[in-house]
Amino acid sequence: MKKLLILLASLISILIAGNIYNRIKIQNIFDEIYYTGAGATNEPFEKPRSVIENIPNIESQVYYLSSISENGEKITEERYQEDKLPNNMIGLSTTFYSKKKELTINVSYSITSTVNLSMDNTYSVSKKTLSQTLSFFDTERAGEILVKDKNDVQTYSATYNISEKQLTEWNAQGVNQLFLEDWVSVYPSNYSPENLGNVKIKTQW
Protein backbone atom coordinates (compact mmCIF):
# COMPACT_ATOMS: atom_id res chain seq x y z
CA MET A 1 0.00 0.00 0.00
CA LYS A 2 2.84 2.37 0.86
CA LYS A 3 4.47 1.77 -2.53
CA LEU A 4 1.13 2.42 -4.26
CA LEU A 5 0.69 5.71 -2.41
CA ILE A 6 4.24 6.76 -3.35
CA LEU A 7 3.54 5.88 -6.99
CA LEU A 8 0.28 7.86 -7.00
CA ALA A 9 2.00 10.82 -5.37
CA SER A 10 4.75 10.69 -7.99
CA LEU A 11 2.22 10.59 -10.85
CA ILE A 12 0.31 13.53 -9.38
CA SER A 13 3.55 15.50 -9.00
CA ILE A 14 4.46 14.78 -12.64
CA LEU A 15 1.02 15.92 -13.81
CA ILE A 16 1.21 19.10 -11.74
CA ALA A 17 4.74 19.84 -12.98
CA GLY A 18 3.66 19.22 -16.60
CA ASN A 19 0.68 21.54 -16.20
CA ILE A 20 2.85 24.30 -14.72
CA TYR A 21 5.41 23.86 -17.52
CA ASN A 22 2.72 24.15 -20.19
CA ARG A 23 1.34 27.29 -18.58
CA ILE A 24 4.79 28.86 -18.67
CA LYS A 25 5.50 27.68 -22.21
CA ILE A 26 2.09 28.39 -23.79
CA GLN A 27 0.94 31.90 -22.93
CA ASN A 28 -1.12 32.83 -25.98
CA ILE A 29 -2.86 31.50 -29.07
CA PHE A 30 0.29 31.77 -31.22
CA ASP A 31 2.22 29.58 -28.77
CA GLU A 32 -0.53 26.97 -29.18
CA ILE A 33 -0.24 27.12 -32.96
CA TYR A 34 3.57 27.04 -32.96
CA TYR A 35 4.07 24.15 -30.53
CA THR A 36 1.34 22.13 -32.20
CA GLY A 37 2.56 22.75 -35.74
CA ALA A 38 6.35 23.02 -35.44
CA GLY A 39 6.71 19.39 -34.35
CA ALA A 40 4.56 18.02 -37.15
CA THR A 41 6.22 16.46 -40.19
CA ASN A 42 3.37 16.90 -42.69
CA GLU A 43 5.02 14.24 -44.83
CA PRO A 44 3.23 11.12 -46.16
CA PHE A 45 2.95 8.21 -43.72
CA GLU A 46 4.67 10.13 -40.93
CA LYS A 47 3.28 11.21 -37.58
CA PRO A 48 2.45 13.53 -35.97
CA ARG A 49 0.38 15.47 -38.44
CA SER A 50 -0.39 19.15 -37.99
CA VAL A 51 -3.71 20.05 -36.37
CA ILE A 52 -3.93 22.85 -38.95
CA GLU A 53 -4.48 20.21 -41.62
CA ASN A 54 -7.93 19.65 -40.10
CA ILE A 55 -8.96 23.10 -41.32
CA PRO A 56 -10.93 22.83 -44.59
CA ASN A 57 -9.27 24.20 -47.74
CA ILE A 58 -5.74 23.96 -46.27
CA GLU A 59 -2.82 22.45 -48.18
CA SER A 60 0.57 21.55 -46.65
CA GLN A 61 4.02 21.88 -48.15
CA VAL A 62 7.41 20.95 -46.72
CA TYR A 63 10.58 22.49 -48.10
CA TYR A 64 14.11 23.30 -47.00
CA LEU A 65 16.03 26.54 -46.60
CA SER A 66 19.51 26.35 -48.08
CA SER A 67 22.27 26.57 -45.54
CA ILE A 68 26.07 26.63 -45.39
CA SER A 69 25.79 23.78 -42.93
CA GLU A 70 24.93 20.26 -44.07
CA ASN A 71 21.42 20.42 -42.72
CA GLY A 72 19.26 23.29 -43.94
CA GLU A 73 16.22 24.22 -41.90
CA LYS A 74 13.07 22.30 -42.76
CA ILE A 75 10.15 24.69 -43.24
CA THR A 76 6.50 23.68 -43.00
CA GLU A 77 3.94 25.83 -44.77
CA GLU A 78 0.16 25.53 -44.53
CA ARG A 79 -1.65 27.43 -47.28
CA TYR A 80 -5.33 28.07 -47.99
CA GLN A 81 -6.56 27.25 -51.47
CA GLU A 82 -6.74 30.58 -53.28
CA ASP A 83 -10.18 30.00 -54.81
CA LYS A 84 -11.63 29.60 -51.28
CA LEU A 85 -10.44 33.00 -50.04
CA PRO A 86 -12.52 36.21 -49.80
CA ASN A 87 -12.56 38.71 -52.68
CA ASN A 88 -9.21 40.42 -53.39
CA MET A 89 -7.38 38.16 -50.91
CA ILE A 90 -4.95 36.09 -52.98
CA GLY A 91 -2.99 34.32 -50.26
CA LEU A 92 -3.25 33.16 -46.63
CA SER A 93 -0.60 30.89 -45.15
CA THR A 94 1.22 29.90 -41.97
CA THR A 95 4.92 29.03 -41.99
CA PHE A 96 6.87 27.40 -39.15
CA TYR A 97 10.58 28.08 -38.59
CA SER A 98 11.72 25.59 -35.95
CA LYS A 99 15.34 26.75 -35.61
CA LYS A 100 14.38 30.40 -35.14
CA LYS A 101 11.29 29.42 -33.13
CA GLU A 102 9.10 31.67 -35.22
CA LEU A 103 5.70 31.43 -36.83
CA THR A 104 4.66 33.68 -39.72
CA ILE A 105 1.07 34.22 -40.82
CA ASN A 106 0.99 35.89 -44.23
CA VAL A 107 -2.02 37.62 -45.79
CA SER A 108 -1.80 38.85 -49.40
CA TYR A 109 -4.13 41.05 -51.44
CA SER A 110 -4.34 42.10 -55.06
CA ILE A 111 -4.25 45.92 -55.20
CA THR A 112 -4.09 46.41 -58.98
CA SER A 113 -3.57 44.12 -61.95
CA THR A 114 0.19 44.39 -61.39
CA VAL A 115 0.64 45.24 -57.70
CA ASN A 116 0.11 42.93 -54.72
CA LEU A 117 0.19 43.71 -51.01
CA SER A 118 1.78 41.19 -48.64
CA MET A 119 1.31 41.43 -44.85
CA ASP A 120 3.52 39.33 -42.55
CA ASN A 121 2.60 38.61 -38.94
CA THR A 122 5.75 37.07 -37.47
CA TYR A 123 5.52 35.64 -33.96
CA SER A 124 8.67 35.15 -31.86
CA VAL A 125 8.19 32.38 -29.31
CA SER A 126 11.05 33.59 -27.09
CA LYS A 127 9.98 37.26 -27.10
CA LYS A 128 6.20 36.63 -27.07
CA THR A 129 5.98 39.34 -29.73
CA LEU A 130 3.96 39.51 -32.95
CA SER A 131 5.61 41.84 -35.49
CA GLN A 132 3.35 43.05 -38.30
CA THR A 133 5.08 44.25 -41.48
CA LEU A 134 4.02 44.76 -45.08
CA SER A 135 5.43 44.96 -48.61
CA PHE A 136 4.12 45.94 -52.03
CA PHE A 137 5.16 43.72 -54.96
CA ASP A 138 5.27 44.51 -58.68
CA THR A 139 4.21 41.33 -60.49
CA GLU A 140 5.43 42.68 -63.84
CA ARG A 141 8.99 42.97 -62.50
CA ALA A 142 9.46 39.42 -61.20
CA GLY A 143 7.79 40.22 -57.90
CA GLU A 144 10.16 43.10 -57.10
CA ILE A 145 9.65 44.47 -53.60
CA LEU A 146 8.67 48.12 -53.78
CA VAL A 147 8.79 48.86 -50.04
CA LYS A 148 12.14 49.41 -48.35
CA ASP A 149 11.17 51.32 -45.19
CA LYS A 150 8.25 52.98 -43.41
CA ASN A 151 8.38 56.02 -45.70
CA ASP A 152 7.88 53.70 -48.68
CA VAL A 153 4.90 52.13 -46.93
CA GLN A 154 3.29 55.53 -46.48
CA THR A 155 4.10 56.55 -50.07
CA TYR A 156 2.64 53.45 -51.69
CA SER A 157 -0.33 53.39 -49.34
CA ALA A 158 -1.14 56.96 -50.35
CA THR A 159 -0.59 56.14 -54.03
CA TYR A 160 -3.23 53.42 -53.90
CA ASN A 161 -5.46 55.33 -51.47
CA ILE A 162 -5.08 52.76 -48.68
CA SER A 163 -5.51 54.09 -45.15
CA GLU A 164 -3.89 52.71 -42.02
CA LYS A 165 -7.37 51.64 -40.90
CA GLN A 166 -7.84 49.69 -44.14
CA LEU A 167 -4.49 47.93 -43.68
CA THR A 168 -5.48 46.92 -40.15
CA GLU A 169 -8.87 45.66 -41.33
CA TRP A 170 -7.36 43.64 -44.18
CA ASN A 171 -4.82 42.05 -41.85
CA ALA A 172 -7.47 41.22 -39.26
CA GLN A 173 -9.69 39.73 -41.98
CA GLY A 174 -7.03 37.15 -42.78
CA VAL A 175 -5.48 36.53 -39.37
CA ASN A 176 -8.31 36.95 -36.83
CA GLN A 177 -11.52 36.51 -38.77
CA LEU A 178 -10.38 33.63 -40.96
CA PHE A 179 -7.32 31.73 -39.73
CA LEU A 180 -7.74 32.12 -35.94
CA GLU A 181 -11.48 31.43 -36.23
CA ASP A 182 -10.62 28.23 -38.08
CA TRP A 183 -7.92 27.39 -35.53
CA VAL A 184 -10.27 27.47 -32.53
CA SER A 185 -12.75 25.33 -34.50
CA VAL A 186 -10.25 22.44 -34.81
CA TYR A 187 -8.23 22.85 -31.59
CA PRO A 188 -9.43 23.09 -27.94
CA SER A 189 -7.83 26.49 -27.51
CA ASN A 190 -7.67 28.39 -24.24
CA TYR A 191 -7.77 31.61 -26.26
CA SER A 192 -9.81 33.19 -29.06
CA PRO A 193 -9.45 35.64 -31.98
CA GLU A 194 -10.59 38.35 -29.55
CA ASN A 195 -8.51 37.16 -26.57
CA LEU A 196 -5.04 36.33 -27.93
CA GLY A 197 -3.42 35.89 -24.51
CA ASN A 198 -0.07 37.27 -23.38
CA VAL A 199 1.41 38.67 -26.60
CA LYS A 200 2.88 42.05 -27.51
CA ILE A 201 1.92 43.31 -30.97
CA LYS A 202 4.25 45.62 -32.91
CA THR A 203 2.72 47.13 -36.05
CA GLN A 204 5.16 48.65 -38.52
CA TRP A 205 2.83 50.52 -40.83
Side-chain angles (χ1 to χ4, degrees), residues 20-135:
I20 292 173
Y21 174 72
N22 280 331
R23 287 191 177 186
I24 294 173
K25 181 176 75 171
I26 300 177
Q27 298 184 20
N28 57 64
I29 196 167
F30 302 107
D31 281 335
E32 288 181 338
I33 297 166
Y34 175 81
Y35 283 111
T36 303
T41 64
N42 294 310
E43 295 177 342
F45 311 113
E46 289 191 19
K47 297 293 182 178
R49 307 290 283 176
S50 172
V51 174
I52 295 177
E53 286 192 320
N54 296 327
I55 296 175
N57 309 318
I58 282 277
E59 297 175 336
S60 294
Q61 180 181 7
V62 176
Y63 56 97
Y64 293 81
L65 285 183
S66 60
S67 174
I68 297 175
S69 63
E70 292 183 1
N71 299 317
E73 181 174 8
K74 184 169 69 174
I75 307 301
T76 304
E77 181 184 79
E78 313 277 0
R79 179 173 293 275
Y80 281 78
Q81 297 174 25
E82 186 175 340
D83 61 350
K84 305 297 183 181
L85 296 174
N87 291 338
N88 294 330
M89 189 185 294
I90 58 174
L92 177 56
S93 65
T94 59
T95 308
F96 296 90
Y97 300 88
S98 56
K99 287 186 178 179
K100 294 189 293 183
K101 281 200 167 185
E102 288 183 354
L103 160 72
T104 295
I105 304 171
N106 176 268
V107 190
S108 299
Y109 288 88
S110 175
I111 304 302
T112 71
S113 60
T114 61
V115 175
N116 293 338
L117 168 65
S118 178
M119 313 177 82
D120 278 336
N121 298 263
T122 301
Y123 176 69
S124 168
V125 174
S126 60
K127 296 178 181 178
K128 306 298 179 194
T129 299
L130 185 74
S131 299
Q132 300 177 328
T133 58
L134 64 79
S135 299

